[in-house]
């Protein structure tokens, strides 16, 4: 997840913001981040981070000063800050538990509760690793919850566009969240198991259960004003649920002298999706899919 955004002091925009909202010039966006990590004891790691998405039509060198506390920059049309804290504890050999809290928007007690939608997320999980035979077995279980408007802002959001080539078009764009891949309005649980024999082969089995509400990266703007979803998950009783089970593996093959490495790999995934309306207690739009991938990579 990892990320905090500007609290509602954003509501007091500077005088230039109204003009900035109307400009037609092309602008650029830059993601900048601070991260401080501490290990006060061998078994405990603590980290804090503050990141910012900076958007403008011109380059301002002062915002690249690494000592800036971005939260204090209150030009809402140009900045959106986000921060997180995380804690990791290795309580026994091979066992590790961890947690993370990310704040993207908060409203102070003396501020208008309707000015911005409160947005934060949290996750907790554990990892276990041990030597088994000639390989290493690892397993991890993780759960996360995010409020609806995490990463979403009406002026500067935490989204990114990636360009791809296409057979039918010269360019296609895919949008993703910068951070937690499921974005806001979600509850996700993932269980991952891997067995790896170094430099020979490995296999992995993972299953993911995801519940997602009606808010997505394409559905948060209403008549140029951000929707006030507040802290209510799955508003209106609308839930899209998906279950994904994936089995994959790879093997290193013997190589001739003119090769550095040769690996073959394969993956199969079964995906089932359904929409649930909590108000009417009705399941609909059942869908399932089976995906298979095989390939090989050669290094010279």
């Amino acid at each position: 997840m990892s990320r905090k955004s500007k609290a509602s002091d954003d509501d007091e925009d500077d005088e230039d913001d109204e003009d900035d909202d109307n400009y037609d010039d092309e602008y650029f966006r830059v993601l900048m981040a601070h991260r401080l990590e501490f290990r006060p004891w061998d078994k405990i790691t603590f980290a804090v981070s503050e990141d910012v998405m900076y958007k403008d039509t011109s380059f301002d060198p002062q915002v690249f000063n690494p000592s800036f506390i971005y939260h204090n920059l209150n030009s809402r049309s140009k900045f959106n800050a986000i921060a997180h804290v995380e804690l990791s504890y290795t309580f026994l050999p091979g066992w590790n538990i961890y947690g993370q809290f990310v704040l993207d928007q908060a409203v102070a007690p003396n501020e208008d509760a309707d000015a911005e939608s409160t947005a934060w997320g949290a996750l907790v999980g554990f990892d276990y690793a041990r030597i088994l035979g000639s390989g290493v077995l690892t397993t991890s279980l993780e759960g996360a919850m995010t409020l609806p408007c995490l990463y979403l802002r009406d002026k500067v959001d935490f989204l990114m566009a990636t360009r791809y080539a296409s057979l039918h078009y010269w360019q296609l764009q895919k949008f993703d969240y910068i951070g937690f891949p499921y974005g806001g309005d979600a509850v996700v649980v993932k269980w991952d198991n891997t067995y790896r024999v170094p430099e020979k082969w490995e296999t992995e089995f993972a299953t993911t259960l995801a519940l997602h509400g009606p808010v997505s990266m394409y559905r948060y703007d209403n008549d140029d004003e951000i929707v006030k979803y507040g802290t209510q998950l799955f508003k209106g009783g609308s839930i899209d649920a998906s279950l994904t089970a994936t089995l994959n593996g790879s093997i290193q093959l013997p190589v001739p002298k003119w090769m550095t490495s040769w690996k073959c790999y394969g993956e199969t995934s079964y995906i089932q999706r359904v929409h649930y309306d909590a108000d009417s207690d009705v399941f609909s739009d059942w869908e399932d899919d089976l995906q298979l991938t095989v390939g090989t990579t050669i290094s010279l």
Side-chain angles (χ1 to χ4, degrees):
M1 221 179 283
S2 42
R3 320 253 167 228
K4 153 188 166 194
S5 169
K6 225 167 199 202
S8 292
D9 51 4
D10 286 341
D11 303 328
E12 299 180 4
D13 300 336
D14 56 21
E15 295 179 358
D16 296 333
D17 283 353
E18 293 184 2
D19 295 334
D20 290 340
D21 295 340
N22 297 322
Y23 59 64
D24 295 323
D25 298 332
E26 292 186 1
Y27 60 83
F28 69 93
R29 303 203 311 165
V30 178
L31 177 67
M32 298 175 285
H34 301 299
R35 178 180 171 88
L36 297 175
E37 187 170 307
F38 309 91
R39 182 168 289 180
W41 299 279
D42 290 341
K43 295 183 177 181
I44 295 179
T45 301
F46 175 74
V48 294
S49 174
E50 184 186 38
D51 309 340
V52 66
M53 182 67 78
Y54 171 65
K55 170 183 136 180
D56 205 349
T57 57
S58 60
F59 179 79
D60 185 359
Q62 68 172 340
V63 304
F64 294 95
N65 182 345
S67 65
F68 262 24
I69 298 177
Y70 296 122
H71 182 83
N72 294 336
L73 303 175
N74 62 356
S75 177
R76 179 177 170 184
S77 64
K78 295 182 180 181
F79 293 96
N80 188 8
I82 193 169
H84 79 275
V85 295
E86 61 185 61
L87 181 67
S88 175
Y89 175 40
T90 303
F91 59 97
L92 288 172
W95 288 91
N96 180 66
I97 59 173
Y98 60 89
Q100 184 183 95
F101 176 80
V102 57
L103 178 62
D104 189 8
Q105 188 68 38
V107 179
N110 63 335
E111 295 175 327
D112 181 4
D114 294 328
E116 289 284 352
S117 295
T118 299
W120 52 264
L123 68 81
V124 63
F126 80 87
D127 299 316
Y128 173 68
R130 62 166 295 179
I131 295 175
L132 185 63
S134 57
V136 178
L137 174 67
T138 60
T139 185
S140 64
L141 179 65
E142 182 177 283
M145 185 276 289
T146 58
L147 292 186
C149 288
L150 186 69
Y151 305 137
L152 302 179
R153 286 294 166 268
D154 53 349
K155 292 180 175 62
V156 186
D157 54 38
F158 282 91
L159 302 177
M160 64 179 177
T162 306
R163 294 180 179 178
Y164 292 92
S166 170
L167 296 176
H168 302 288
Y169 305 95
W170 284 108
Q171 279 187 359
L172 289 178
Q173 285 192 338
K174 182 179 183 296
F175 290 90
D176 290 302
Y177 296 101
I178 299 176
F180 189 55
Y182 297 89
D185 207 8
V187 174
V188 181
V189 178
K190 183 176 182 180
W191 183 37
D192 195 340
N193 302 274
T194 303
Y195 183 73
R196 180 172 181 265
V197 179
E199 299 182 356
K200 291 186 177 181
W201 61 274
E202 67 178 278
T203 184
E204 177 186 21
F205 174 74
T207 181
T208 304
L209 173 64
L211 306 178
H212 208 291
V215 181
S216 70
M217 66 178 70
Y218 306 111
R219 187 180 179 185
Y220 71 97
D221 192 84
N222 181 19
D223 296 329
D224 297 326
E225 183 178 349
I226 195 165
V227 176
K228 307 301 189 297
Y229 281 92
T231 59
Q232 182 178 353
L233 287 169
F234 315 137
K235 191 170 185 177
S238 177
I239 303 174
D240 289 308
S242 66
L243 178 65
T244 304
T246 299
L247 177 65
N248 63 57
S250 65
I251 184 170
Q252 297 284 348
L253 299 177
V255 297
K257 294 182 179 180
W258 54 275
M259 284 188 191
T260 302
S261 66
W262 182 15
K263 181 174 74 173
C264 291
Y265 60 88
E267 178 177 293
T268 181
S269 296
Y270 176 71
I271 306 169
Q272 189 169 78
R273 300 178 60 186
V274 65
H275 179 78
Y276 176 65
D277 190 327
D279 292 340
S280 58
D281 195 23
V282 172
F283 290 90
S284 61
D285 300 330
W286 285 92
E287 297 178 333
D288 58 2
D289 188 27
L290 182 64
Q291 300 177 357
L292 178 64
T293 303
V294 293
T296 185
T297 61
I298 297 174
S299 299
L300 302 179

